[in-house]
Amino acid sequence: MPRAKPSPRPDDAKPPLVAILAYDRLCMFEFGCAVELFALERPELDVAWYRHAICAAEPGPLRGTGGVRIEAPHSLATLRRADIIVIPGWRDAAERPPEPLLRALRAAHARGARLCTICSGVFVLAHAGLLEGHRATTHWRYAERLAREFPAIAVDPSALYVDEGQVITSAGSAAGLDMLMHLVRRDHGPRVANAVAQRLVMSPHREGGQAQFVPRPMPTESASPIAVLQDWLRAHPREDHTVASMADRVAMSARTLQRRFKDATGLAPLEWLTRERVAIAKELLETREALDVESVAELAGFGSPESMRRHFRLLGLPAPSRYRRQFG
């Protein structure tokens, strides 16, 4: 996506105030990401760094994951003057957030505050009605639920983060850091963002999407015909498989195979096969440095590097050569 240039600020303007929400059963990793980015002083950057405020989203006592107790020095009233609001997850995707919190977020959005969510925090903005007609993402485990419960949201299950201008949503946990670094890059430019990333010992910008971290669907019964077929397909990825040839192998009709395969894995047979070939290619790129990209494509069953690149791209992955540099 295009990188927005940092907006010039008057010399006497205060740095942006970042309100970081805290709530009972707080997601501590996501909360920690926001605190690490915005609560530390960074005089070495020679820029007007952010101000921050930890705001209680509801009356106390507030506890974090693992039983940690949280004392937030600010209330929802601080959201009235916040420039940026970070929602670090939400305790339960099935639980509607408190109405005072939703009202405060709607009011902040109406006056132009930027809203950022990490992981399940997207459900807070969804309940507030602030994502309708917009693209958004969340952790891959929650993407289907978000799309089902809020059909007016264009859910992108593969993105690490989605920047819609005033609202930025991110996938699970560590993707929150990617999103927050993107925000820093928007505000202060690449030089400052790179310096912050160096201090955090992280990449300033990760390529690809969360598809690279999604586990492969497996059948639940190891002795089932579907499991036997999967083992055979894994051992013979270079053959020209079709639904008909797979069905013949397990003595089923094509229609029965497709139904039983989807029941067992959640995917259609050819979709599963493509993901399996991608997984094989990823493993070869990570572990077999001597193999060139053409050989990897052949061994994984894609036939050509162009086909492999296309399927990597469709799954939100970096191009194979870049994937090897990043993960090999």
Side-chain angles (χ1 to χ4, degrees):
M1 68 182 63
R3 298 180 181 179
K5 294 181 180 179
S7 302
R9 301 182 60 84
D11 293 338
D12 58 350
K14 290 183 178 180
L17 174 62
V18 181
I20 304 170
L21 292 182
Y23 48 86
D24 193 34
R25 304 194 335 256
L26 179 63
C27 299
M28 292 300 294
F29 182 88
E30 289 83 348
F31 178 73
C33 288
V35 169
E36 178 73 20
L37 253 294
F38 299 119
L40 296 185
E41 294 184 1
R42 302 184 186 275
E44 74 280 6
L45 298 178
D46 195 29
V47 297
W49 196 244
Y50 304 88
R51 297 172 294 145
H52 82 283
I54 308 299
C55 303
E58 58 191 338
L62 306 180
R63 297 158 297 173
T65 305
V68 176
R69 287 191 171 271
I70 308 294
E71 289 190 12
H74 301 276
S75 69
L76 286 177
T78 301
L79 270 58
R80 297 173 192 159
R81 54 187 179 87
D83 301 289
I84 300 167
I85 298 170
V86 179
I87 306 174
W90 181 241
R91 59 180 168 243
D92 189 343
E95 179 184 339
R96 182 179 175 84
E99 201 57 41
L101 171 59
L102 299 182
R103 286 198 301 269
L105 290 171
R106 293 185 194 111
H109 182 269
R111 64 172 178 77
R114 288 181 284 176
L115 309 179
C116 307
T117 71
I118 305 175
C119 195
S120 53
V122 71
F123 285 90
V124 179
L125 293 188
H127 280 290
L130 297 176
L131 296 176
E132 294 183 5
H134 295 282
R135 288 176 62 240
T137 193
T138 185
H139 193 291
W140 55 265
R141 292 178 58 195
Y142 300 127
E144 185 178 346
R145 178 178 198 136
L146 182 65
R148 182 178 66 250
E149 295 186 1
F150 301 94
I153 301 172
V155 179
D156 185 344
S158 65
L160 290 176
Y161 58 84
V162 171
D163 184 348
E164 285 284 272
Q166 192 180 348
V167 176
I168 312 178
T169 55
S170 67
S173 301
L177 273 174
D178 294 294
M179 179 262 291
L180 296 175
M181 285 300 305
H182 169 73
L183 186 67
V184 171
R185 194 161 52 247
R186 268 181 53 175
D187 288 352
H188 294 288
R191 181 190 65 80
V192 171
N194 291 345
V196 174
Q198 185 178 37
R199 181 165 170 177
L200 292 172
V201 197
M202 65 175 285
S203 171
H205 178 70
R206 273 197 296 173
E207 297 289 343
Q210 53 180 324
Q212 59 197 298
F213 307 110
V214 178
R216 286 177 279 165
M218 301 291 285
T220 54
E221 298 179 23
S222 59
S224 73
I226 300 302
V228 173
L229 174 63
Q230 286 182 300
D231 287 341
W232 187 83
L233 291 170
R234 287 191 193 96
H236 302 84
R238 300 169 69 179
E239 296 192 18
D240 185 17
H241 302 294
T242 65
V243 172
S245 68
M246 294 183 207
D248 287 343
R249 183 144 199 101
V250 290
M252 296 180 188
S253 69
R255 187 172 181 176
T256 298
L257 172 69
Q258 295 197 78
R259 176 177 54 79
R260 292 189 60 179
F261 206 103
K262 190 154 191 177
D263 287 345
T265 69
L267 298 173
L270 291 177
E271 184 182 1
W272 180 90
L273 178 61
T274 296
R275 293 192 179 213
E276 191 63 28
R277 283 171 167 161
V278 168
I280 292 170
K282 286 165 57 180
E283 184 174 353
L284 291 173
L285 291 167
E286 292 168 12
T287 61
R288 303 281 294 276
E289 186 178 351
L291 290 176
D292 58 23
V293 171
E294 289 77 9
S295 299
V296 170
E298 178 65 26
L299 290 171
F302 288 111
S304 70
E306 293 77 18
S307 176
M308 181 167 68
R309 278 194 290 270
R310 182 169 66 87
H311 284 99
F312 268 53
R313 184 175 68 252
L314 290 174
L315 288 175
L317 294 167
S321 56
R322 183 167 291 181
Y323 183 92
R324 168 171 272 167
R325 290 196 298 270
Q326 189 168 348
F327 294 98

